[in-house]
Amino acid sequence: MYYPAPGHQHVKVLVPRATFPKVTRMPPARTVPENPMAPLVRQALEASFGQRDPETLTGALFDMGVRSHVRYRRRLPLPAGQVHEVTSHAREGGEFFGTVEVGGRRYAWAARMHAGRLVSFKVL
């Protein structure tokens, strides 16, 4: 469209219509639940800190490495108090990690699930 140029009576300026760049849309992000900590991870954490009997961690749901780590943690001095979740995060591929607070101290943890089983678990 032609518009008069400022300060000139007979000169007009061609201003093309605005064109918008072609934008490729990203697919909507997957929603992660508010509390991504899996129930099996919570059970392993409770067993690690003495709030659950480690014998309840059955081989059908917990890998041998998970049960071994829980038994190792039980040999250490246990802090007094309940396990309170501070942070927990989930990644693709069944990875979980976060922090818990027990007896006024914070502990980091990492876990991996595969096919409904807890195959890896560590309290750091």
Side-chain angles (χ1 to χ4, degrees):
M1 178 144 202
Y2 285 103
Y3 292 97
H8 300 283
Q9 191 172 17
H10 299 289
V11 178
K12 297 198 179 213
V13 178
L14 176 64
V15 178
R17 290 186 182 202
T19 59
F20 298 101
K22 194 87 149 162
V23 177
T24 58
R25 302 277 182 208
M26 296 291 291
R30 290 186 322 150
T31 58
V32 176
E34 287 291 323
N35 184 359
M37 185 187 294
L40 296 179
V41 174
R42 176 164 288 286
Q43 290 176 13
L45 282 167
E46 289 173 353
S48 296
F49 290 105
Q51 297 174 3
R52 180 184 291 265
D53 185 20
E55 300 301 320
T56 61
L57 307 180
T58 63
L61 296 175
F62 298 90
D63 199 42
M64 176 60 84
V66 173
R67 291 180 286 156
S68 297
H69 182 73
V70 169
R71 282 194 305 270
Y72 162 74
R73 291 285 310 167
R74 291 296 293 263
R75 284 183 278 183
L76 299 175
L78 296 174
Q82 295 290 322
V83 175
H84 296 287
E85 176 186 349
V86 178
T87 63
S88 63
H89 308 279
R91 286 188 181 166
E92 292 180 8
E95 292 182 20
F96 297 89
F97 59 95
T99 56
V100 292
E101 186 171 329
V102 182
R105 290 193 60 196
R106 290 192 178 185
Y107 298 89
W109 58 269
R112 176 173 290 213
M113 293 191 62
H114 178 68
R117 291 188 71 206
L118 193 61
V119 295
S120 175
F121 173 76
K122 297 282 184 206
V123 175
L124 309 171

